[in-house]
Amino acid sequence: MRRGREEPGRLRGEPPPRWARFAPAVALVGLVLAQALTPGAELGFFLAGLPPVAAFAYGAAGTAVFAAVVLLLLGLPTLGVGHARGTDLATVAVVGLLSVVIAWVRQRRDAQLVSVRTVAEAAQLAVLPPVPERVGAVRCSGLYRAAQHGTLVGGDLYDVRAGPHGVRALVGDVQGHGLAAVGTVAALLGAFREGVIDDSGLAAVAGRLDRRLVADAKAASVEHPELFATAVLLEFPPGLDLVRIVSCGHPPALRLRGAAVEELVVEPGPPLGLGLAGPPPAVAELPLRPGDQLLLHTDGVTEARDAAGHFYPLAARVPVLARDPGGLVRAVWRDLAAFTDGGPRDDVALLLLSLDGSG
């Protein structure tokens, strides 16, 4: 995926590792050989432990095969492996039967879990679908990493949409992170997509997002219903080599122009959701040259720390990382993961934009 987040299917779980499937068979052969080499030792009864082990890696049928093989090896003295009789053999048979039941139950639970996780994955991808490589005249490359393990969506968001007033982009960071913030993310994205079509000005889109959060906060039946989010909105008007920017308390975007990296400092407005009265947020208009790229990010990048407590120096690292053949956003993520020794503990979103023919 161009989005660069967890690949679809990762939420569904993975089959048991190959070694787990080979382990019971290897142990079976090893015990039989050991018993043959040491006739005086009683090693055969260790075979009774193999069916429960097989139940964790095989289904009911495979576990039943292991149980049957163990019973044959222990119940036929001519094989020279075991000499189980009466209650001993019955005990081994009961262990094998219970192992088959455990394998059957585990297999059913695994199927149910796959179904639930598949639905959850589809729902999360519907909220925050992958960013395409191109939207209108704008080239896009995005990366998303949720802080909560096993999820595709957290408290960060971004989107790029084409509308009658050009291509518009949004990068935001809502209060909190993880699954608790997904509802707010969905509300903001829905409002943004409506604004792309209906609102003629970028400030009007920001006002729509602010009203959405204010309304949701009033309707929330929780002790502290305050909802807010920082965001930066961009607009690429059709036929013009410029970008319009509105900042709502969000970290400034970076402009890459050749080997130079510059923070696009614009007059910030208040975060979304505070519902503060006053003039609409200022709209900055900046020219773009051929080759210019705009890197938008959330504070999960710039507030990530290393072991010594130093913040990640994004602006200083970008000129070097931009030369990575794998793409800037993926290079930033790899560098950030190495800097923080495994990745930051906050949600991370990166979005790289350039006009057609740039970068």
Side-chain angles (χ1 to χ4, degrees), residues 128-158:
L128 203 59
V131 171
E133 295 185 8
R134 180 192 294 270
V135 178
V138 178
R139 294 182 179 180
C140 314
S141 179
L143 182 141
Y144 195 106
R145 289 290 188 273
Q148 186 167 337
H149 180 71
T151 62
L152 298 179
V153 181
D156 289 356
L157 64 144
Y158 59 65

Side-chain angles (χ1 to χ4, degrees), residues 25 35 116 120 134 140-141 165 187 197 213 248 255 309 327 332 340 343 353:
Q35 182 64 69
V116 170
R134 180 192 294 270
C140 314
S141 179
H165 309 289
I197 299 173
L213 290 189
C248 301
R255 179 172 60 191
V332 170
T340 57
L353 304 173

Side-chain angles (χ1 to χ4, degrees), residues 90-278:
T91 301
V92 174
V94 170
V95 170
L97 179 61
L98 290 176
S99 300
V100 172
V101 173
I102 291 172
W104 179 78
V105 172
R106 180 193 59 78
Q107 202 168 31
R108 283 180 57 87
R109 293 294 297 272
D110 286 350
Q112 292 173 351
L113 185 60
V114 167
S115 177
V116 170
R117 287 181 169 176
T118 301
V119 172
E121 179 181 302
Q124 292 181 70
L125 288 175
V127 171
L128 203 59
V131 171
E133 295 185 8
R134 180 192 294 270
V135 178
V138 178
R139 294 182 179 180
C140 314
S141 179
L143 182 141
Y144 195 106
R145 289 290 188 273
Q148 186 167 337
H149 180 71
T151 62
L152 298 179
V153 181
D156 289 356
L157 64 144
Y158 59 65
D159 200 3
V160 185
R161 297 277 166 161
H165 309 289
V167 175
R168 287 172 172 170
L170 165 70
V171 173
D173 184 359
V174 308
Q175 177 190 18
H177 61 265
L179 292 176
V182 173
T184 307
V185 168
L188 283 174
L189 288 172
F192 170 73
R193 291 160 187 168
E194 292 177 356
V196 168
I197 299 173
D198 297 336
D199 296 327
S200 59
L202 202 57
V205 180
R208 180 188 291 265
L209 300 180
D210 180 75
R211 292 192 300 273
R212 176 72 271 163
L213 290 189
V214 171
D216 288 351
K218 290 180 178 178
S221 56
V222 294
E223 183 178 356
H224 300 289
E226 296 86 3
L227 295 175
F228 67 89
T230 65
V232 59
L233 295 96
L234 275 67
E235 179 181 88
F236 299 87
L240 299 177
D241 292 333
L242 59 86
V243 62
R244 298 186 179 116
I245 303 177
V246 168
S247 175
C248 301
H250 198 78
L254 300 179
R255 179 172 60 191
L256 288 71
R257 178 169 287 173
V261 176
E262 174 189 8
E263 284 191 352
L264 297 181
V265 180
V266 300
E267 183 180 348
L272 302 172
L274 299 184
L276 299 177

Side-chain angles (χ1 to χ4, degrees), residues 301-359:
V301 178
T302 51
E303 294 184 1
R305 298 173 182 259
D306 63 7
H310 300 126
F311 289 111
Y312 180 69
L314 176 63
R317 296 293 299 154
V318 163
V320 177
L321 300 174
R323 298 193 291 266
D324 192 300
L328 176 59
V329 292
R330 293 184 181 275
V332 170
W333 171 252
R334 290 194 299 268
D335 191 55
L336 181 61
F339 181 83
T340 57
D341 192 20
R345 298 182 180 180
D346 197 2
D347 301 317
V348 167
L350 292 162
L351 183 61
L352 184 67
L353 304 173
S354 61
L355 282 175
D356 188 24
S358 301

